[in-house]
Amino acid sequence: MELSDFSVFIIVTIVLVLIFAAKIFIIVPQGMEYTIERFGKYTRTVRPGMNVIVPFINGIGHKILMMEQVMDVPSQEVITKDNAMVTVDGVVFFQVIDAAQASYEVNNLTHAILNLTMTNIRTVMGSMDLDELLSKRDAINSQLLSVVDEATTPWGVKVTRIEIKDISPPIDLVESMARQMKAEREKRANILEAEGFRQAEILKAEGDKAAIILAAEADKEAAFREAEARERLAEAEAKATMMVSKSIAEGDIQAVNYFVATKYVEAIKEIASADNSKIIFAPLEASSVIGSIGGIAELAKEAMNKQKS
């Protein structure tokens, strides 16, 4: 069955309408933006959703991903300020905020950001000593972010974060650093040990001082007690002597016997306690000593009778 000219016309018209409709309506996915060009010149940017353009006059220039992107920075060797060679790598997080600038201000956006980041890593880290490089990673990240973000602003890009992933010094340098760290730890340990000994000696000296003070106070108290005892003994002896003297004055023979016996016993005691005395021959008149003791008893009775009267 042959188609009539009218049927052919209808089919061709439908095909042309479909082609025309496909050129008019543009569906932009979420997270993307398209630049629209008219005869090769940028006119506008279309956002996610359905958009209408004039077919055959306007066309899609670039399709730009607007979501945040992650890009690895490959390893590279960096010479520090103190001439140490280290291997460094990192990662960059960035997001396109202006599709037109990202499309027309720079060619090959990701390649440009990568080379800019690697160059600034060498610049920033090359101005630091190795010790600073290993201990101030946050400061390095902040400085790199500030420099790279400022440089990429004309490209319609916002660099959100730059992180240094790994810093690898040479093996011999790592071993040297390990020895240095070990020596530093041993030094701190020796200092702490010496400080402990010093504190112990101080505490011991303070304890000895306190013991000496307490011993001196004890000796002082003992001397005071001994002096007080001697004073009381002297008072008692003086009172006894006074009583004996009074009795002698009154002609009491018992008092005389007491006084003679006392002096006799004291003399025997001094002779016996002498260092050069080994054997003592002394006439001891037992009856006289016993009589003297009896005299002491009589004196005591008379004193008690006087107190009662």
Side-chain angles (χ1 to χ4, degrees):
M1 181 178 180
E2 295 182 358
L3 297 175
S4 63
D5 294 338
F6 180 74
S7 297
V8 174
F9 175 75
I10 293 298
I11 293 173
V12 172
T13 302
I14 292 173
V15 172
L16 290 176
V17 169
L18 292 175
I19 295 174
F20 189 77
K23 293 291 184 179
I24 291 176
F25 299 103
I26 299 176
I27 299 176
V28 180
Q30 184 66 37
M32 301 288 293
E33 287 186 3
Y34 295 172
T35 61
I36 304 301
E37 298 176 353
R38 178 174 297 172
F39 301 118
K41 182 179 180 181
Y42 169 77
T43 57
R44 64 192 178 94
T45 301
V46 293
R47 302 186 180 279
M50 182 177 290
N51 298 270
V52 178
I53 63 173
V54 179
F56 307 110
I57 297 176
N58 294 338
I60 299 174
H62 295 83
K63 298 179 180 181
I64 303 299
L65 180 63
M66 304 301 292
M67 293 184 291
E68 188 172 7
Q69 303 177 57
V70 182
M71 180 172 57
D72 287 327
V73 179
S75 299
Q76 60 176 330
E77 292 184 344
V78 177
I79 300 176
T80 63
K81 186 177 179 181
D82 52 353
N83 296 323
M85 182 75 71
V86 296
T87 303
V88 182
D89 60 0
V91 61
V92 181
F93 297 81
F94 68 95
Q95 183 177 13
V96 176
I97 58 176
D98 191 316
Q101 289 182 324
S103 300
Y104 303 108
E105 293 294 336
V106 62
N107 183 31
N108 197 343
L109 178 63
T110 56
H111 183 70
I113 294 175
L114 177 60
N115 281 275
L116 181 64
T117 303
M118 293 180 68
T119 302
N120 281 278
I121 286 176
R122 289 194 296 269
T123 301
V124 172
M125 301 182 73
S127 63
M128 295 182 174
D129 294 332
L130 180 60
D131 292 339
E132 292 179 330
L133 209 65
L134 298 175
S135 62
K136 297 183 178 179
R137 187 170 297 191
D138 290 339
I140 295 172
N141 294 337
S142 299
Q143 190 173 351
L144 284 173
L145 178 61
S146 176
V147 174
V148 176
D149 183 48
E150 183 180 358
T152 56
T153 299
W155 302 343
V157 175
K158 174 65 178 177
V159 179
T160 57
R161 186 178 301 174
I162 297 179
E163 296 288 342
I164 299 298
K165 291 196 298 184
D166 189 24
I167 301 176
S168 302
I171 300 300
D172 56 344
L173 189 57
V174 172
E175 294 176 352
S176 176
M177 292 169 61
R179 290 194 298 269
Q180 180 181 0
M181 182 175 61
K182 181 179 179 181
E184 185 66 24
R185 288 180 178 176
E186 290 178 352
K187 175 183 175 182
R188 289 199 298 266
N190 291 333
I191 291 174
L192 291 175
E193 185 178 1
E195 184 66 23
F197 286 141
R198 174 176 173 271
Q199 191 66 24
E201 291 297 328
I202 291 174
L203 293 176
K204 181 181 178 182
E206 290 179 352
D208 294 341
K209 176 182 176 182
I212 292 173
I213 292 173
L214 291 175
E217 290 179 353
D219 293 340
K220 176 181 177 182
E221 183 67 19
F224 176 76
R225 297 294 183 184
E226 185 178 356
E228 186 177 11
R230 286 198 302 268
E231 182 180 357
R232 290 181 180 179
L233 179 62
E235 290 178 356
E237 290 180 352
K239 186 178 292 186
T241 303
M242 186 182 297
M243 292 176 61
V244 171
S245 299
K246 184 178 179 181
S247 298
I248 293 173
E250 293 176 355
D252 192 346
I253 191 61
Q254 299 295 338
V256 175
N257 291 335
Y258 166 75
F259 184 77
V260 172
T262 301
K263 296 300 182 181
Y264 186 81
V265 170
E266 289 179 356
I268 294 299
K269 180 180 179 181
E270 290 178 0
I271 294 172
S273 61
D275 294 336
N276 56 357
S277 299
K278 303 300 180 180
I279 299 175
I280 302 174
F281 295 96
L284 296 177
E285 298 180 0
S287 59
S288 298
V289 175
I290 293 173
S292 298
I293 294 174
I296 295 172
E298 292 295 331
L299 287 174
K301 290 180 180 179
E302 291 180 1
M304 290 177 64
N305 291 329
K306 290 180 180 180
Q307 288 180 356
K308 291 181 179 180
S309 60

